[in-house]
Amino acid sequence: RYNNIYITPGVSIFDKKFLEVSKLKIKRDLNLYHQHLKNEKVVAITGTNGKSTTTKLIGDILKRKFQNTFVGGNIGDALCNSIVNKSRFLYHVIELSSFQLETIKNFEPKISIILNLSKDHLDRYKNFNDYINAKKNILNSKNKNINLISIDDQYSKKIFNDNKIKNKISFSLNNNSADVYFSNGFIVDRFFYKHKIFKLNNISSDLSNYYNIQNILAAYIVCKYLKIPVKYFTESVKKFKGLPFRSSIIFNSKSKIIINNSKATNVSSALLTLDNKKNIYLILGGIAKKEDEFHNFNKYKDNIIKIYIYGKSRSLIKRQIGLPKISKVLTSLDNVVNNIWKDLSSFDCKATIIFAPACASFDQFENFEKRGKYFNKLILKKIKK
């Protein structure tokens, strides 16, 4: 006999082993965490891309002001570690995946954040709407709490425009109708002020990619909403140390720059890595997610010298991209790196090598971290020769 079954996010709640179990009894770690919350102030972050970076950045800000801040969830410490830890945390900053959010009801964090939404995990959901509905479980309905929602993609914007969702702040990389948006190096704030511009100076190199502005805007709003002095925000943005394998520059010389974005497990995340880059040697591969749209890499074809495709889904990816003249299919990451080094020997300009697989890692690696570490190891061997 049992009251509930708590399932790790790595296992689908629709797995056939649970067919005879009432859906009301199937829970995630978030449910257990939620049951034990008392007076903690929770900042909860979700989205398709950028969750971990945003969680760490907001965590850095709050830790500068409040030492007793828990940062975890789908990143770092497990949610339930905040329960068993002897010290009581005043603030919680947590990253939540769609899997963790699937079974939660009436969650009500103090601040809920949806960064962006694009097609992902469709191997686990019947359709994209089911994925979006899981993400929406993060949202608040109580007047004392707030929802931060980006309006930079059509799916997030639709959520923001839903009149049933109250207590909300919109933010955007470029849409000047948002409550808080970015323009020509300034944060424009029309929510906490009538109209104030805030110069964004001294951004850490680990936040230098343009798409990270979305993460910075969310962190700024959290800082203002919690009435934390803005100096803690600016210091954190300036000194931010990125998480491993998220567009990390692992080598930079006169002849080549090498970027490891093993965390790019879907097409939309991988595409962001290509923005404002040229002379690209792109590495893709692994297990493609259902209905992923590899043809979108065509938009960058003028900046791509060659595409190397490896792993289980290599034939599918090559077919979807449809750039046979510059695509090379290989079986393993080892073969990819060997081929790149050979090809670079006849290239005279500075090359940009980007490892952004756009796929899950499970065909050849346990997770994206181990995939990223292995790529670094292969590159280090080549550089040392």
Side-chain angles (χ1 to χ4, degrees), residues 59-73:
D60 288 353
I61 293 168
L62 265 64
K63 282 182 176 180
R64 287 180 186 276
K65 177 65 175 174
F66 311 104
Q67 288 188 340
N68 54 340
T69 297
F70 172 81
V71 181

Side-chain angles (χ1 to χ4, degrees), residues 320-339:
Q320 282 197 14
I321 290 178
L323 296 171
K325 290 184 179 180
I326 61 170
S327 298
K328 186 179 286 190
V329 174
L330 301 152
T331 55
S332 69
L333 202 48
D334 298 68
N335 292 336
V336 166
V337 173
N338 288 334
N339 271 266

